[in-house]
Amino acid sequence: MTCAPASNPSFRRRLTGLAVAALLAGLLATAPAAPANAAIVTVGAGGYTTDLPAGALGPTNSAGAPVSPKITSAVTAKVPTNDWWSSLAFQRYAGNPYSENMYAHPLAFHAVAGGLEVSYPTAPAISATQYNQSHARDLTLGVTGLNAPSTQVDGWSDWTVTPYWSDGTRTLRATIGHGLPFVYATPSGGNAQVGFVATPTIWADRGNVLGATVNGHDYALFAPTGTDWTVTGTTATVPLGGRNYYSVAALPARGALDLFAKYAFSFVTGTRVSWAYDEASARLTTTYTATTTAKEGTETGTLQALYRHQWLATTDPLTTYTYVSPRGTMKLREGASFSTRQTFHGVLPSLPDLGAYDRARLGDFVRQEANAADPWKGAGDTYWSGKALGRLAQLVPIAEQLGDIASRDRLLGLLKTELQSWFTAGGEQFRYDGVWGILTGYPASYGSDTEVNDHHFHYGYYLMAAATVARYDRAWAADGQWGGMAKLLARDANNWDRSDTRFPFLRNFDAYAGNGWASGHQGFAAGNNEESSSEGMNFAAGALLLGAATGDTALRDLGVYLYTTQAATIAQYWFDVDNAVFPAGFGHDTAGMVWGDGAAYSTWWTGNPEEIHGINYLPITGGSLYHGLYQSEVRAGLAEMEANNGGPAVEWRDVIWQYRSLGDPAAAKANWDAGWSSYGPESGDSKAHAYHWIYNLARLGTVDAAVTADTPTAAVFSLNGTRTYVAHNFGTAARTVTFSDGRRLAVPAGSTATSAGTTPTPTPTPTPTPTPTPTPTPTPGSPTRYLLTGGGMAATGGAAGSDAVSSAGGTNHDGTPYNPLVYTSTGLTMAHTGAATAFDLFLDAGTSVGNGVQARVSYDLTGDGTFDRVETYRYFATDPVAGWEHYTQAAGLTSSSGTLGNLTNGRVRVEVWSAIGTNPTSLGIGNRSVVTIPFS
């Protein structure tokens, strides 16, 4: 096994040499997949082959022998690779026809000849570079006498799977899944059997219900009513009396036994995720639904454990019970479904032209790339060709902004030629494998062919390049031309269309875990893994932009779903932004890669800290703005990188600098100014792009998470209290984009507009929008702050006016800001008086019935981007009589966190939103609504 070069950011999903040597011992060949009939399938102007290219391979085991999916005759759909359980279906090692360790959370599993090993890992093993909560068998669930030669997959749903065992006399089906504390067993040919790893402590015996503790974990065993468990030594058995079901559950506490008994025979038989993007409110709602079948009784509900990223985003009621997991605390919900509601903060196809760069130098940098003798830098496989496509695509709008139409068109020509080469069968090409349901690019790389690795990482670059071409040439990207092949790559990696049976649903995205998985076969003791979370986000952004550019709202909304969900999981599980996931003693603020059983401060190819960090930053594009939602994490992560690196970055300086600009634009600009002439760009980036990015953010500031837009291709930035609004319009007609703080921005067709001017694409240069009146500068020393138009708060009132608090849409948003109005004072240096916050908000809902408006006041004492004190007040129910009402602090706090201290260049933010109701409410501003902060 060879090692990738140090500059390679994608040497992943490999076993170590020692592990391979151990696993290769005694390998046996498996039956090869049936050859496909040779054919060229036309897709628009391009197409793909069903033949393997000469000398190429499809899915194989570790000995190089072709493999087919391990499935029963009940399965007709394309089997999911790249899932948490894929080793059940993809037999990577000929000596193991069962599975590798599978981490569903809170439970972990391993299939063996006698059935299903079950564990509830709770104690992390921590080393200098990783933590693992690994599978260690607590019990084995099966049938007396079962000795199956293999395990097959009998079915699956969005986050469950049903493995199947048969030895000719006995059979077992066991449904397991993410968030399920139960294992649902359907046996035949013998008694139900649970074998414990040690003699269990029996603390409850109700005949058919048994409470047992082993390895410090409490379990409950449920057999059909009227049966009776017998425990002999380490084995519990029960005759099923002609029935064919039993279940086993890991309990969060012994006191939960009755709750679990209620649902023990309501078997989960299917799960389904659905998502809805509300463009007007920038809101993504994701619904998780379990389907159940009552084996006895009439109960149709179930119990589900929610991951941290889920329970942080739901208002659905949860029980008080929790589980431990490698992703932090999981919380138990009673019910067959739940929904999460998350804010989508926007993606840009490129940054606008606002930087104070040397335009001649920037132009020289662009031309160096556009006119290079080899603009592909020797790339020949799907990954490196993709990175080259991504690098050149980022330069197209920069050339346009500079007025260098020749370079713009040459770059577009390069993109089209290369994409068309890949999108045409023959030479560089894609091949569809109908047995596995995969579309693989050849020449392949890093196991994208033999292991089905990394398709989302590779194909995201093609989507971004196709979206760039579509921005300038929509006809080229039509489904009947070259867009059809680009979208086929999207379907392979993350098929969103359940009616498209060529591919599994969401191959590279785990709908419940909320992140991607990179290994096609999941052939590791630690489960599956995902290293470059940022390349997963590149796929999401590419899907969103290609969908927006071509008018394909389903593809666009897939991108919004993937992007919004992963932004939350990356924050929690890669960067631990709340310090609530990584176990104490891990010693790192960043994970280079996440595994099923934990996380590691490492990469597949190097232990260099700047690449451990940087692999979760690159590529830097307009889809990278999610990093700016956690500016303190940007600064803290880079501080850790430099401490572990023994100083600033050396190899990937441009990637590091551009990432830094999302948390500290001035420092990033200083890095560039000091080092631009003495570094070589990372292979997927260029000096032109880094210069443009860093200097634009030096002018724009950081991402303003408080404001959203009614289009997905928009963003808001803030610098020294002044907001800049940016939006792109892919449409063929002008439109007005409305931001959640009330700001409206006219955006001509095919253009990017900003509140500081307009940046055109190929259409005629539009008329710039007027520069907004600057927000009044706060006056330190005055505790009374008036809410002003444009989102400011000043010590003196302005002209009387009103802002519209948008409707709650008929849903409950009590405690959670929903499309809020946001008002901010910055640069405050004041002493805390020890008093409490006071406010008087003028509200009028007119004759509307049932409205309720809520307020939150947040204090960032040092202006570092982190709120040290957050106060949420009970909502104020407005009356149905026209005229101002007064909402004050007398409503009382519904929640608060943190403590107050002195303000030193601090910031105060007020959010106002509708907690309930179906109609908007007016908020009086100017010389009306005031907040009195407890400072002098």
Side-chain angles (χ1 to χ4, degrees), residues 55-352:
L57 293 172
T60 65
N61 67 17
S62 56
V67 291
S68 298
K70 293 198 299 120
I71 53 178
T72 70
S73 60
V75 172
T76 58
K78 302 305 182 187
V79 67
T81 57
N82 305 80
D83 217 327
W84 65 271
W85 54 265
S86 290
S87 61
L88 280 167
F90 193 142
Q91 187 177 337
R92 179 63 176 164
Y93 312 111
N96 180 7
Y98 304 105
S99 81
E100 301 304 319
N101 293 341
M102 300 173 289
Y103 294 88
H105 306 145
L107 299 180
F109 308 100
H110 190 102
V112 294
L116 183 68
E117 291 185 357
V118 181
S119 68
Y120 171 32
T122 55
I126 303 172
S127 71
T129 59
Q130 65 187 43
Y131 73 87
N132 307 92
Q133 290 174 218
S134 301
H135 169 68
R137 181 175 78 94
D138 288 336
L139 55 89
T140 302
L141 174 150
V143 186
T144 53
L146 178 65
N147 186 24
S150 68
T151 307
Q152 297 173 292
V153 174
D154 196 51
W156 61 84
S157 63
D158 286 1
W159 59 89
T160 67
V161 64
T162 301
Y164 171 81
W165 294 256
S166 175
D167 62 9
T169 302
R170 293 155 287 267
T171 68
L172 174 68
R173 290 174 174 85
T175 296
I176 55 179
H178 276 316
L180 299 185
F182 283 99
V183 179
Y184 305 100
T186 306
S188 73
N191 296 336
Q193 176 176 292
V194 175
F196 297 95
V197 71
T199 302
T201 299
I202 304 301
W203 46 267
D205 188 348
R206 303 177 185 176
N208 70 314
V209 177
L210 201 66
T213 299
V214 64
N215 270 353
H217 303 139
D218 295 325
Y219 287 90
L221 285 58
F222 301 97
T225 300
T227 62
D228 191 359
W229 288 96
T230 298
V231 180
T232 303
T234 61
T235 304
T237 58
V238 59
L240 296 175
R243 288 164 287 185
N244 68 338
Y245 56 87
Y246 72 100
S247 64
V248 175
L251 300 181
R254 292 182 182 181
L257 180 60
D258 288 341
L259 174 65
F260 276 69
K262 176 181 177 182
Y263 297 105
F265 303 114
S266 179
F267 277 34
V268 171
T269 54
T271 55
R272 188 179 182 95
V273 67
S274 61
W275 58 86
Y277 167 51
D278 184 342
E279 189 172 356
S281 64
R283 180 70 55 169
L284 175 76
T285 300
T286 306
T287 301
Y288 304 83
T289 303
T291 303
T292 64
T293 297
K295 293 295 186 178
E296 59 181 62
T298 60
E299 182 58 61
T300 58
T302 190
L303 298 169
Q304 300 181 82
L306 277 64
Y307 282 110
R308 179 174 178 81
H309 76 276
Q310 294 171 323
W311 57 256
L312 282 172
T314 190
T315 56
D316 295 341
L318 306 174
T319 72
T320 59
Y321 293 113
T322 63
Y323 286 94
V324 173
S325 88
R327 308 291 180 263
T329 299
M330 300 181 77
K331 295 189 176 183
L332 191 67
R333 171 165 166 77
E334 186 177 5
S337 69
F338 65 92
S339 295
T340 60
R341 298 161 188 85
Q342 298 166 287
T343 300
F344 173 65
H345 291 282
V347 164
L348 293 174
S350 60
L351 292 185

Side-chain angles (χ1 to χ4, degrees), residues 105 131 305-312 325-330 510 512-517 530-531 533 565-583 586 588-595 598-601 616 630:
H105 306 145
Y131 73 87
L306 277 64
Y307 282 110
R308 179 174 178 81
H309 76 276
Q310 294 171 323
W311 57 256
L312 282 172
S325 88
R327 308 291 180 263
T329 299
M330 300 181 77
D510 189 319
Y512 202 85
N515 58 261
W517 294 122
E530 180 89 330
E531 183 181 58
S533 61
T565 307
Q566 288 180 124
T569 56
I570 291 167
Q572 294 296 330
Y573 311 139
W574 272 260
F575 297 125
D576 195 14
V577 294
D578 297 330
N579 295 316
V581 173
F582 297 167
F586 177 47
H588 297 284
D589 295 326
T590 297
M593 57 201 309
V594 164
W595 285 90
Y601 186 77
N616 286 292
Y630 305 99

Side-chain angles (χ1 to χ4, degrees), residues 528-541:
N528 214 323
N529 70 93
E530 180 89 330
E531 183 181 58
S532 182
S533 61
S534 51
E535 285 181 307
M537 288 292 270
N538 188 52
F539 179 96

Side-chain angles (χ1 to χ4, degrees), residues 488-667:
L488 200 65
L489 267 63
R491 288 178 183 271
D492 170 79
N494 279 306
N495 181 24
W496 64 97
D497 181 0
R498 294 180 189 271
S499 69
D500 186 345
T501 58
R502 293 171 295 180
F503 306 102
F505 179 65
L506 297 183
R507 180 195 311 280
N508 279 113
F509 187 74
D510 189 319
Y512 202 85
N515 58 261
W517 294 122
S519 168
H521 50 71
Q522 189 261 306
F524 303 97
N528 214 323
N529 70 93
E530 180 89 330
E531 183 181 58
S532 182
S533 61
S534 51
E535 285 181 307
M537 288 292 270
N538 188 52
F539 179 96
L544 187 161
L545 292 171
L546 182 59
T550 59
D552 187 335
T553 55
L555 178 59
R556 182 202 70 177
D557 290 358
L558 167 75
V560 171
Y561 162 66
L562 297 175
Y563 190 93
T564 307
T565 307
Q566 288 180 124
T569 56
I570 291 167
Q572 294 296 330
Y573 311 139
W574 272 260
F575 297 125
D576 195 14
V577 294
D578 297 330
N579 295 316
V581 173
F582 297 167
F586 177 47
H588 297 284
D589 295 326
T590 297
M593 57 201 309
V594 164
W595 285 90
D597 74 345
Y601 186 77
S602 63
T603 72
W604 279 102
W605 79 96
T606 181
N608 181 1
E610 65 184 86
E611 289 165 305
I612 292 171
H613 289 255
I615 195 60
N616 286 292
Y617 306 159
L618 60 78
I620 303 294
T621 73
S624 301
L625 299 179
Y626 67 99
H627 289 299
L629 300 175
Y630 305 99
Q631 294 154 30
S632 59
E633 169 55 36
V634 171
R635 296 189 292 270
L638 291 177
E640 178 187 14
M641 184 278 293
E642 291 184 347
N644 294 339
N645 201 46
V650 175
E651 295 179 17
W652 285 0
R653 282 180 280 181
D654 50 347
V655 172
I656 300 300
W657 297 342
Q658 290 173 85
Y659 176 71
R660 173 169 277 133
S661 66
L662 291 162
D664 192 342

